[in-house]
Amino acid sequence: MSKNQSEYLIKRNNNEYEVVIGLEVHAQVLSESKLFSSSSTKFGAEPNTQVSLVDAAFPGMLPVINEFCIKQAVKTGIGLKAKINKKSIFDRKNYFYADLPQGYQISQYKNPIVGEGSVVLDLPSGEKKIGIERLHLEQDAGKSIHDIDPQNTLVDLNRSGVALMEIVSKPDLRSLEEVNAYVKKLRSIMRYLGTCDGNMQEGSLRADVNVSVRKKGQKELGTRCEIKNVNSIKFMQMAIEYEANRQVDVIEEGGSIDQETRLFDTKKNQTRSMRSKEDAHDYRYFPDPDLLPLEISDKFIDELKKNIPELPDEKKKRFIEKFKLSAYEANILVSDNETSKYFEEVIKESDVKISTNWITGELFALLNEKNLEISESPISAKNLSKLINLIKDGTISGKIAKSVFEIMADGNKDPKKIIEEKGLKQQSDPKELEKLIDKVINDNQDKVKEYKSGKEKLFGFFVGQTMKISGGKANPKLVNEILKKKLT
Ligand code: ADP
Ligand code: MG
């Protein structure tokens, strides 16, 4: 595993700075109900329709741990190859805010449910391991809405109490590409596990981004700034770029970096200070007296381990070994579980090489164009497999296959039927082809002369003409062979 293959360096005057990044990803647990109440977590409901008395923090209400959310967190920990802590503690993190009716957030602080683990990035230059510091469970807050009423801020508590996993990386990331690969890989693992849908538009995955810079070669890390609540990979990259350059400027001007929390303004494309370490909140963490320490057994963990599906790294390895794919192809095919399933379905009865090319080429282009997930593909794996077999056995050329594919895209028709109906079958009868070729030769005597006197480039012209009068149906391989014989 090579190191520092894609580091992000900033040059100023005669100095070179290295950028160091660590992410705290907040992933919403995929669960029908909230962490400590039975209210629904469904996205997009009318404001304040999914709020129980617990979520609204009515006096005397008691939280009850949702066992399913605990399972989801442990499964994610297993997927991150991390240590699962058999004892963890829920603390109260105290602060006042309008969208936080309890006056505190229940979160795990010193004793998280998941300890150290790792995530492997698939970079163009190879793989790189990123350390995971911990994963802890916490409640989400409600949402303040500032743009409905001109005078007042409105509060929607639907999100209040929804379970989040905060996944904290070590400061191992070194570039914008690595941040992109890291978030995508994390999302991919959680989607495979079914523990988070990773939907960034709906806010199911967002991150606090920690950035520092240091002179190249310097050992100690520089002072970091934390940019809060960034909700897309693009914005994370823009925020890091701005922030790293800002820090370099400060240092080059003889200043030093204050550890502070900053906000990224997506419209101005810059970060600005939110609060400095001096006025850092004292959250007065203490164990929530309404919740006992959470203890889980080996049996509980083993049971979940048994049911962990094959994850992207293992699948990638298997695809490379079994199907002789390149690392690049394997990465593309395993990054999404549905894609890998589709691929395996197609190659059950078809050539692996041709299938790989058609899925990563034509099919992906089609899905992209129509903005569809592979699970919504207008062409089923079965029918694509049939099309590939028709290419492989010479019934149609690759070129004809593309037009058949287009027709299939409009209604998942069986490619065999399309070929019959449209008479697209490849012409592979040598006698028939010879007739076409003789006509081309007769009609182009002048070109034949030129060819025979050495202008060999004209060979392509004859192939082209033959293909043309066959309506694109002539078997190109046979046309080549026959033409060669006839012209020499
Ligand atoms: P906090 O409570 O201040 O948010 P956490 O431990 O939750 O602290 O998270 C700290 C995050 O900052 C981690 O993701 C870690 O990798 C990252 N980090 C720590 N030091 C640096 C640094 N010098 N430069 C960049 N990132 C850092
Ligand atoms: Mg933090």
Side-chain angles (χ1 to χ4, degrees):
M1 236 170 259
S2 53
K3 244 192 103 216
N4 286 356
Q5 40 207 337
S6 62
E7 52 187 350
Y8 175 19
L9 297 174
I10 297 176
K11 289 198 183 98
R12 270 299 187 288
N13 307 320
N14 284 324
N15 294 318
E16 221 176 4
Y17 293 86
E18 182 189 24
V19 180
V20 174
I21 305 145
L23 293 187
E24 300 161 70
V25 168
H26 298 261
Q28 183 176 324
V29 174
L30 204 55
S31 157
E32 284 180 4
S33 49
K34 297 183 180 178
L35 184 52
F36 298 114
S37 83
S38 56
S39 318
S40 168
T41 59
K42 218 174 157 106
F43 180 82
E46 284 291 304
N48 298 311
T49 53
Q50 297 172 168
V51 189
S52 73
L53 296 175
V54 175
D55 311 321
F58 272 49
M61 292 297 118
L62 290 174
V64 178
I65 293 186
N66 178 346
E67 185 179 337
F68 184 71
C69 292
I70 305 298
K71 285 186 176 160
Q72 294 289 64
V74 173
K75 272 168 85 173
T76 307
I78 296 168
L80 300 176
K81 314 278 183 281
K83 179 170 180 288
I84 308 299
N85 293 324
K86 289 202 279 177
K87 182 173 173 179
S88 61
I89 293 173
F90 285 100
D91 295 284
R92 288 186 181 179
K93 179 182 184 181
N94 300 279
Y95 65 95
F96 176 78
Y97 205 77
D99 60 21
L100 188 76
Q102 287 173 153
Y104 56 84
Q105 175 194 31
I106 304 178
S107 174
Q108 299 187 310
Y109 182 48
K110 292 227 166 95
N111 300 279
I113 188 161
V114 175
E116 291 190 327
S118 62
V119 167
V120 175
L121 306 189
D122 308 293
L123 301 162
S125 46
E127 296 180 344
K128 178 177 170 178
K129 211 180 221 172
I130 302 298
I132 297 292
E133 182 76 44
R134 65 169 194 275
L135 176 158
H136 67 252
L137 275 167
E138 62 185 29
Q139 303 175 295
D140 205 348
K143 200 171 130 198
S144 301
I145 304 163
H146 307 286
D147 55 3
I148 293 184
D149 187 300
Q151 253 81 47
N152 300 295
T153 290
L154 306 181
V155 175
D156 174 10
L157 291 182
N158 281 352
R159 231 171 50 187
S160 167
V162 166
L164 299 178
M165 299 180 276
E166 178 169 330
I167 303 166
V168 182
S169 85
K170 306 221 167 178
D172 288 348
L173 298 160
R174 291 289 177 276
S175 69
L176 305 181
E177 298 81 64
E178 289 186 8
V179 166
N180 176 50
Y182 174 74
V183 176
K184 285 198 175 141
K185 189 61 175 280
L186 211 53
R187 185 170 58 180
S188 163
I189 291 170
M190 292 190 289
R191 281 188 176 165
Y192 264 75
L193 291 166
T195 57
C196 169
D197 66 21
N199 190 333
M200 298 187 95
Q201 278 93 34
E202 295 180 1
S204 305
L205 200 74
R206 41 196 209 262
D208 299 340
V209 182
N210 295 271
V211 183
S212 68
V213 299
R214 63 179 168 188
K215 286 220 174 95
K216 195 169 156 65
Q218 180 184 312
K219 257 204 137 133
E220 320 79 67
L221 293 177
T223 304
R224 72 181 156 111
C225 287
E226 177 180 358
I227 307 153
K228 277 276 171 207
N229 214 12
V230 190
N231 62 9
S232 83
I233 294 176
K234 188 84 221 139
F235 287 152
M236 289 177 203
Q237 294 178 324
M238 285 159 67
I240 293 164
E241 197 164 10
Y242 175 86
E243 178 58 20
N245 278 285
R246 184 192 71 84
Q247 292 182 11
V248 168
D249 288 341
V250 170
I251 295 168
E252 282 292 305
E253 282 159 19
S256 60
I257 305 302
D258 295 327
Q259 186 177 335
E260 59 180 0
T261 304
R262 298 177 71 84
L263 280 179
F264 181 60
D265 184 327
T266 54
K267 293 207 180 78
K268 292 191 186 134
N269 184 21
Q270 51 186 240
T271 64
R272 69 181 133 84
S273 184
M274 186 172 142
R275 56 174 183 259
S276 69
K277 203 184 176 188
E278 277 79 6
D279 44 64
H281 285 287
D282 179 358
Y283 291 115
R284 294 178 173 267
Y285 281 99
F286 64 87
D288 191 312
D290 292 337
L291 291 160
L292 288 170
L294 175 67
E295 291 187 32
I296 51 179
S297 64
D298 285 320
K299 189 163 160 272
F300 182 88
I301 300 169
D302 291 342
E303 206 54 48
L304 292 170
K305 261 190 192 152
K306 256 193 267 163
N307 292 310
I308 296 288
E310 182 185 41
L311 293 172
D313 289 340
E314 288 79 43
K315 194 167 291 227
K316 174 181 168 186
K317 211 165 149 233
R318 177 166 66 84
F319 277 14
I320 291 174
E321 278 165 14
K322 195 165 157 198
F323 306 129
K324 308 283 172 253
L325 298 185
S326 68
Y328 173 77
E329 291 166 333
N331 278 337
I332 299 181
L333 292 169
V334 308
S335 70
D336 166 53
N337 201 10
E338 292 302 319
T339 305
S340 73
K341 279 191 209 151
Y342 188 100
F343 168 74
E344 290 204 84
E345 169 95 32
V346 171
I347 61 166
K348 241 190 250 161
E349 285 165 23
S350 301
D351 180 85
V352 172
K353 194 84 209 136
I354 307 178
S355 302
T356 305
N357 290 341
W358 274 79
I359 293 172
T360 59
E362 303 296 317
L363 185 72
F364 278 10
L366 173 75
L367 296 175
N368 228 345
E369 182 197 308
K370 302 205 169 196
N371 201 10
L372 294 173
E373 300 282 325
I374 198 154
S375 56
E376 309 163 306
S377 169
I379 298 176
S380 67
K382 255 214 165 63
N383 276 341
L384 184 61
S385 165
K386 280 186 193 166
L387 179 70
I388 285 159
N389 290 338
L390 292 167
I391 304 169
K392 177 86 178 170
D393 70 15
T395 308
I396 51 172
S397 67
K399 201 167 164 212
I400 292 286
K402 286 190 183 167
S403 31
V404 175
F405 182 89
E406 268 171 39
I407 299 169
M408 289 167 78
D410 278 334
N412 193 32
K413 247 189 164 175
D414 187 322
K416 275 189 187 143
K417 284 216 181 89
I418 297 173
I419 291 164
E420 272 164 31
E421 277 170 24
K422 309 244 163 191
L424 292 172
K425 210 166 158 184
Q426 183 156 268
Q427 231 168 306
S428 294
D429 178 352
K431 287 213 179 84
E432 291 298 315
L433 292 178
E434 227 170 291
K435 276 189 212 155
L436 296 177
I437 288 169
D438 286 342
K439 181 169 169 17
V440 170
I441 289 177
N442 266 330
D443 290 353
N444 296 284
Q445 280 304 322
D446 47 338
K447 295 249 171 36
V448 174
K449 251 188 222 137
E450 283 181 57
Y451 177 81
K452 288 194 170 157
S453 64
K455 206 169 170 193
E456 283 183 16
K457 267 202 276 176
L458 275 172
F459 191 75
F461 166 79
F462 296 112
V463 176
Q465 286 300 307
T466 312
M467 293 307 292
K468 197 170 157 197
I469 60 170
S470 78
K473 284 184 285 179
N475 180 328
K477 205 168 142 236
L478 283 177
V479 170
N480 267 283
E481 283 170 19
I482 299 170
L483 261 172
K484 254 191 203 124
K485 258 188 257 154
K486 297 234 169 204
L487 288 173
T488 43

